[in-house]
């Protein structure tokens, strides 16, 4: 969505985009002018047992659209759509320029189905004119691993536009948000953790961190289920008073909750390569809201970013309530996010201007 908006702002009426989408859910964002949306909804989209039929149906329908549309530039995002594009390349590669946007990396323990998609992804990469990676670290690793000779770059998925989100929210979320704001006004500070409470997301480190909190500081839990949160508390014998549980929040109103935070925690343990070389959208959201961020030191992407841009510190360095209070006093260097957005936007536009 960010990339479409950047292209729209730059090219204005000169641009025509056909957006072929395999949706997980209904799209609630207005794509704006000059974008034609082609949503392919396979008959058995949400059935894991009939996944093969979903792949087959999507491939046929996407291929039909590609032959009909005959794009001059084909920008491919996500491994799940590589099969129809690869087949299309076999017939018409000389007629268009191909950009492959690499979002996920195959972990060491992936399923057979995922490994099959990875195989076709590598073949499509070899045929691409340009490959865009989620960060510099992924680009450097996969360039060596796959012996890529193409033109390579990376594009950080920063929060470029506030107007992509819907501002209205259901009453239940309005009440929760009002309660958080009321607590903030009376002196409670909130440190945000968004996402699952799985082992790979630093579950044990988060539990240890919660024990350092004084009564006026709480961990705001977004994105985890209630049962997952309760199991987390029980496993580590944690004090529930150190937490404020919200749970799942629609992505269209998520930033409202980030705005009430005082700091954030973003962790990806380096157990598997996709975590080790993460594309941490939550980190970028925190920085956009100028929240000091705690990350796990042994993640190279998070470690590099925090040190290079001076946006926080390491969760392993927090040992007592005074350390937490020092974190909340952290002050950002001027213009971190605006400078990043300007740099990444220019870099992205250079790709299209070169084709």
């Amino acid at each position: 969505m960010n990339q479409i908006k950047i292209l729209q702002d730059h090219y204005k009426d000169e641009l025509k985009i056909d957006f072929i989408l395999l949706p997980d859910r209904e799209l609630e964002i207005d794509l704006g002018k000059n974008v034609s949306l082609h949503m392919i909804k396979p008959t058995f989209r949400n059935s894991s047992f009939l996944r093969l039929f979903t792949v087959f149906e999507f491939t046929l329908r996407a291929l039909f659209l590609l032959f009909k549309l005959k794009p001059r530039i084909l920008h491919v995002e996500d491994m799940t759509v590589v099969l129809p594009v690869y087949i299309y390349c076999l017939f018409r590669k000389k007629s268009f320029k191909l950009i492959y946007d690499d979002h996920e990396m195959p972990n060491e323990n992936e399923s057979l189905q995922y490994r099959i998609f990875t195989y076709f992804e590598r073949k499509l990469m070899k045929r691409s004119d340009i490959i865009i990676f989620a960060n510099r670290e992924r680009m450097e690793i996969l360039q060596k691993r796959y012996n890529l000779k193409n033109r390579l770059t990376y594009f950080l998925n920063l929060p470029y536009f506030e107007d992509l989100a819907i501002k209205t929210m259901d009453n239940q979320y309005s009440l929760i948000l009002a309660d958080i704001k009321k607590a903030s006004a009376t002196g409670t500070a909130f440190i945000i953790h968004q996402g699952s409470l799985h082992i790979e997301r630093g579950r044990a480190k988060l539990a240890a961190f919660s024990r350092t909190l004084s009564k006026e500081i709480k961990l705001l839990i977004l994105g985890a289920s209630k049962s997952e949160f309760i199991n987390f508390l029980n496993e580590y014998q944690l004090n529930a008073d150190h937490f404020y549980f919200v749970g799942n929040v629609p992505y269209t109103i998520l930033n409202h909750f980030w705005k009430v935070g005082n700091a954030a925690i973003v962790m990806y343990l380096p157990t598997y390569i996709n975590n080790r070389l993460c594309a941490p959208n939550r980190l970028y959201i925190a920085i956009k809201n100028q929240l000091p961020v705690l990350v796990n030191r042994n993640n190279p992407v998070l470690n590099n970013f925090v040190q290079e841009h001076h946006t926080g510190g390491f969760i392993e360095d927090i040992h007592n309530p005074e350390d937490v209070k020092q974190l909340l006093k952290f002050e950002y260097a001027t213009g971190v996010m605006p400078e990043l957005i300007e740099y990444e936007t220019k870099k992205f536009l250079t790709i299209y201007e070169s084709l």
Side-chain angles (χ1 to χ4, degrees):
M1 302 301 173
N2 282 322
Q3 292 174 346
I4 287 174
K5 189 72 165 60
I6 288 170
L7 292 171
Q8 286 175 319
D9 284 359
H10 182 73
Y11 286 104
K12 309 297 182 187
D13 295 331
E14 303 171 27
L15 185 72
K16 182 182 183 301
I17 298 175
D18 286 287
F19 186 15
I20 301 175
L21 179 64
L22 175 62
D24 292 319
R25 55 181 177 262
E26 289 297 323
L27 189 67
E28 300 179 36
I29 294 175
D30 181 11
L31 296 175
K33 62 181 181 179
N34 299 338
V35 179
S36 299
L37 179 62
H38 309 271
M39 293 184 71
I40 298 178
K41 300 179 181 179
T43 310
F44 307 109
R45 175 69 174 107
N46 297 315
S47 172
S48 57
F49 297 104
L50 298 173
R51 187 71 52 80
L52 183 62
F53 293 97
T54 297
V55 172
F56 182 71
E57 182 182 355
F58 172 75
T59 298
L60 285 180
R61 292 172 65 180
L63 267 173
F64 176 81
L65 273 171
L66 288 172
F67 278 109
K68 179 183 177 181
L69 296 170
K70 298 181 177 62
R72 185 178 71 83
I73 298 174
L74 184 50
H75 189 141
V76 184
E77 301 208 20
D78 203 341
M79 184 189 298
T80 57
V81 303
V82 299
L83 189 55
V85 175
Y86 178 70
I87 296 172
Y88 184 70
C89 281
L90 296 179
F91 289 94
R92 297 189 58 87
K93 177 60 185 82
K94 293 183 179 179
S95 66
F96 66 94
K97 297 293 185 181
L98 177 63
I99 302 171
Y100 186 70
D101 218 323
D102 184 42
H103 285 268
E104 295 292 328
M105 294 184 68
N107 282 325
E108 294 84 344
N109 62 340
E110 298 294 357
S111 65
L112 175 61
Q113 175 185 296
Y114 200 94
R115 291 200 296 271
I116 291 171
F117 275 112
T118 301
Y119 169 79
F120 284 105
E121 180 187 48
R122 288 199 301 268
K123 294 182 76 67
L124 191 66
M125 281 183 172
K126 298 283 187 179
R127 288 178 165 267
S128 299
D129 297 284
I130 297 173
I131 305 174
I132 303 175
F133 294 91
N135 54 43
R136 182 181 66 249
E137 291 85 354
R138 287 189 181 197
M139 181 180 71
E140 292 171 350
I141 288 289
L142 290 187
Q143 181 179 24
K144 294 178 182 177
R145 176 177 292 187
Y146 296 159
N147 191 28
L148 297 172
K149 305 296 184 183
N150 328 50
R151 179 180 167 191
L152 309 178
T153 188
Y154 65 91
F155 176 75
L156 302 180
N157 191 24
L158 306 174
Y160 294 84
F161 303 100
E162 283 198 20
D163 60 348
L164 288 178
I166 296 172
K167 306 301 180 185
T168 59
M169 67 178 75
D170 292 341
N171 190 51
Q172 68 178 103
Y173 296 110
S174 296
L175 292 174
I176 294 171
L177 200 58
D179 189 53
I180 295 170
K181 290 179 178 179
K182 181 180 178 181
S184 294
T186 56
T188 301
F190 290 95
I191 300 176
I192 295 176
H193 181 276
Q194 181 199 330
S196 74
L197 296 171
H198 295 164
I199 292 173
E200 286 76 19
R201 292 298 307 276
R203 179 185 180 91
K205 292 177 185 288
L206 188 67
F209 174 80
S210 75
R211 295 191 178 99
T212 69
L213 300 179
S214 53
K215 63 180 181 179
E216 70 275 10
I217 302 172
K218 293 182 182 294
L219 275 166
L220 185 66
I221 304 297
L222 303 174
S225 69
K226 185 70 173 180
S227 60
E228 184 182 17
F229 175 62
I230 292 172
N231 290 338
F232 172 64
L233 294 182
N234 291 338
E235 179 182 349
Y236 293 97
Q237 298 292 295
L238 301 175
N239 185 349
D241 290 340
H242 290 162
F243 299 86
Y244 189 108
F245 176 79
V246 177
N248 291 316
V249 176
Y251 71 97
T252 52
I253 62 170
L254 189 58
N255 197 51
H256 290 284
F257 285 85
W258 276 90
K259 285 181 177 179
V260 299
N262 301 93
I265 295 175
V266 179
M267 291 186 288
Y268 290 88
L269 300 190
T271 313
Y272 302 112
I273 192 168
N274 204 42
N275 276 355
R276 190 160 63 249
L277 302 178
C278 61
N281 296 347
R282 294 165 182 84
L283 176 69
Y284 307 143
I285 293 171
I287 294 167
K288 175 180 180 292
N289 288 292
Q290 297 226 315
L291 305 184
V293 187
L294 288 177
V295 303
N296 52 306
R297 189 187 297 275
N298 57 352
N299 183 290
V301 175
L302 299 177
N303 190 317
N304 291 345
F305 196 97
V306 165
Q307 293 201 75
E308 181 179 353
H309 298 287
H310 309 289
T311 56
F314 302 108
I315 197 166
E316 295 88 350
D317 294 340
I318 304 296
H319 303 293
N320 53 59
E322 286 304 313
D323 291 338
V324 179
K325 290 177 182 178
Q326 286 302 311
L327 169 72
L328 297 177
K329 295 177 182 178
F330 179 90
E331 293 186 5
Y332 266 68
T334 305
V336 173
M337 184 54 68
E339 289 174 7
L340 279 169
I341 287 176
E342 182 181 6
Y343 177 75
E344 293 296 315
T345 299
K346 287 181 179 178
K347 190 168 59 176
F348 178 72
L349 288 171
T350 298
I351 294 169
Y352 273 81
E353 290 169 352
S354 68
L355 294 176

